[in-house]
Amino acid sequence: MAKKHKVSEQVVEEAMQVAKATQRPGQTKEQTKLIAQGIQKGIEEYKKRHREKARALDKQKRKLQQTQSSATTTEVVTPEPEVIVQQSKLAWGLLVVSWIGFAAYLVLSASA
């Protein structure tokens, strides 16, 4: 049993407008109606494909969300090891020595 979609009045009007806009001199009303019907079918086919693509994208999105949610629920949370940063005693020693040298330079240059 094939489902027949009823064409909306807006689609019928748009198709007729396009058919009349492209009407050739000497073209009969019957020919214009046939062109309008062809345009209607084109619009219907476009909408049908658009709905199919949207449905497929929704399915993909749902599938992705389900895989992400299942991955997060099955994932075991392991505590990360703490990183203990130890300051190098050499760096502090060099800093102290440089300040002592700087102070000695200032004292010697001021007395000279």
Side-chain angles (χ1 to χ4, degrees), residues 43-55:
I43 292 172
E44 290 171 16
E45 184 66 27
Y46 171 79
K47 286 184 177 182
K48 181 181 173 185
R49 287 183 184 170
H50 183 67
R51 283 190 299 265
E52 288 173 357
K53 284 182 183 178
R55 203 174 310 122

Side-chain angles (χ1 to χ4, degrees), residues 9-28:
E9 288 296 319
Q10 182 183 6
V11 172
V12 173
E13 288 174 16
E14 285 179 30
M16 190 54 86
Q17 286 175 353
V18 172
K20 285 182 180 180
T22 59
Q23 191 173 11
R24 303 271 184 217
Q27 185 173 316
T28 64

